């Protein structure tokens, strides 16, 4: 059972915005940075966001992250067909000394 | 260009052992922490293990503690995962990942199937 909870699915039409939530606890999100990963169908995951709102080179600024207390969010603006993927939040849990992934959210572009 | 290439996966009977390897190139391997992450068929991501750049700090998920062992050979730019007492629930694609401000580079994965 994952320590980080995400909604199983989210959807929107092209051009719309979508927000994915990630709920944790004081020992993981509350104490450490949150990373977000994107996994396109049939491919390896890719780091999408690190720290609070840092994007690796090549990640469009349509993706943004935020954190408040023990929760974090990933927002996608101007949804595009190529954004259809699974998205995972993740953070180090300092009580258990483990890196925890969220349950994952499948984003569908209608 | 950073490259991570996993190998060593395959079909193994329950209770058996397997050693996964990850060959790294395109970066100074001994400067970076590394991790193994797995994904069971149709399921989400599960972190397996972490090793510091020198190998002095190691952590495991509870699900593999006592059965799996992570190691690295900085002279060979290689990461390893020794998996013992394998169970059906260990069936997954295993990815190695370069750890820097998050798991910033991933290999393509190697499939481990535990079945009789």
């Amino acid at each position: 059972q994952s320590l980080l909870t995400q909604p199983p699915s989210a959807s929107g039409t092209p051009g719309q915005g979508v927000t994915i939530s990630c709920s944790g606890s004081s020992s993981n999100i509350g104490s450490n940075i949150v990373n977000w990963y994107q996994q396109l169908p049939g491919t390896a995951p890719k780091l999408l966001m690190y720290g609070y709102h840092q994007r690796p080179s090549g990640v469009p600024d349509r993706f943004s992250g935020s954190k408040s207390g023990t929760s974090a969010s990933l927002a996608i603006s101007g949804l595009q067909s190529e954004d259809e993927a699974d998205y995972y939040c993740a953070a180090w849990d300092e009580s258990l000394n483990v890196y925890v992934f969220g349950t994952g959210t499948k984003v569908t572009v209608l | 260009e950073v490259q991570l290439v996993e190998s060593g996966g395959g079909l193994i009977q329950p209770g058996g052992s397997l050693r996964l390897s990850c060959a790294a190139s395109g970066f100074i391997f001994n400067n970076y922490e590394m991790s193994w992450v797995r994904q069971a068929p149709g399921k989400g991501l599960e972190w397996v293990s972490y090793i510091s750049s020198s190998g002095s700090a190691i952590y495991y998920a509870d699900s593999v503690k006592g059965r799996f062992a992570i190691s690295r050979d900085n002279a060979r730019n290689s990461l390893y995962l020794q998996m013992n007492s394998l169970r059906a629930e260990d069936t997954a694609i295993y990815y190695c990942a370069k750890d820097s401000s998050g798991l910033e580079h991933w290999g393509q994965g190697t499939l481990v199937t535990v079945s009789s």
Side-chain angles (χ1 to χ4, degrees):
Chain A
Q1 184 176 353
S2 177
L3 300 175
L4 302 184
T5 303
Q6 300 178 233
S9 63
S11 62
T13 56
Q16 277 189 332
V18 163
T19 299
I20 301 168
S21 62
C22 175
S23 178
S25 69
S26 57
S27 61
N28 42 65
I29 293 179
S31 308
N32 295 290
I33 63 172
V34 179
N35 302 125
W36 288 90
Y37 299 89
Q38 177 193 58
Q39 187 175 30
L40 298 170
T43 70
K46 162 189 157 183
L47 181 64
L48 193 67
M49 193 82 54
Y50 63 93
Y52 298 106
H53 48 74
Q54 307 298 316
R55 287 183 302 276
S57 172
V59 175
D61 59 7
R62 301 185 293 102
F63 293 90
S64 62
S66 64
K67 183 179 111 165
S68 177
T70 58
S71 294
S73 295
L74 176 72
I76 311 174
S77 63
L79 203 57
Q80 298 184 5
S81 58
E82 57 261 38
D83 298 333
E84 195 158 277
D86 293 323
Y87 293 84
Y88 297 89
C89 59
W92 184 258
D93 188 291
E94 59 187 31
S95 291
L96 301 175
N97 279 330
V98 297
Y99 190 65
V100 288
F101 283 97
T103 48
T105 299
K106 183 175 183 61
V107 169
T108 302
V109 181
L110 302 171
Chain B
E1 178 195 1
V2 172
Q3 283 204 318
L4 297 168
V5 180
E6 301 94 338
S7 61
L11 175 63
I12 187 76
Q13 291 190 336
S17 297
L18 216 51
R19 189 196 197 204
L20 305 183
S21 299
C22 172
S25 61
F27 65 102
I28 302 173
F29 183 69
N30 59 15
N31 281 357
Y32 289 91
E33 304 155 351
M34 299 292 293
S35 289
W36 286 98
V37 176
R38 68 184 180 183
Q39 186 170 35
K43 301 297 184 182
L45 300 175
E46 180 187 14
W47 171 83
V48 173
S49 184
Y50 157 97
I51 187 168
S52 63
S53 57
S54 66
S56 60
I58 286 174
Y59 300 104
Y60 297 101
D62 282 348
S63 57
V64 306
K65 200 175 294 184
R67 300 187 300 122
F68 289 12
I70 191 172
S71 62
R72 64 190 296 160
D73 185 337
N74 286 343
R76 296 177 183 270
N77 291 342
S78 293
L79 176 72
Y80 306 101
L81 186 68
Q82 177 67 42
M83 304 187 297
N84 301 325
S85 303
L86 282 161
R87 306 166 179 166
E89 54 264 37
D90 295 319
T91 294
I93 296 174
Y94 285 74
Y95 298 100
C96 68
K98 173 175 172 271
D99 200 333
S100 172
S101 301
L103 302 177
E104 67 170 354
H105 288 100
W106 298 60
Q108 286 308 298
T110 186
L111 177 63
V112 172
T113 302
V114 184
S115 174
S116 54

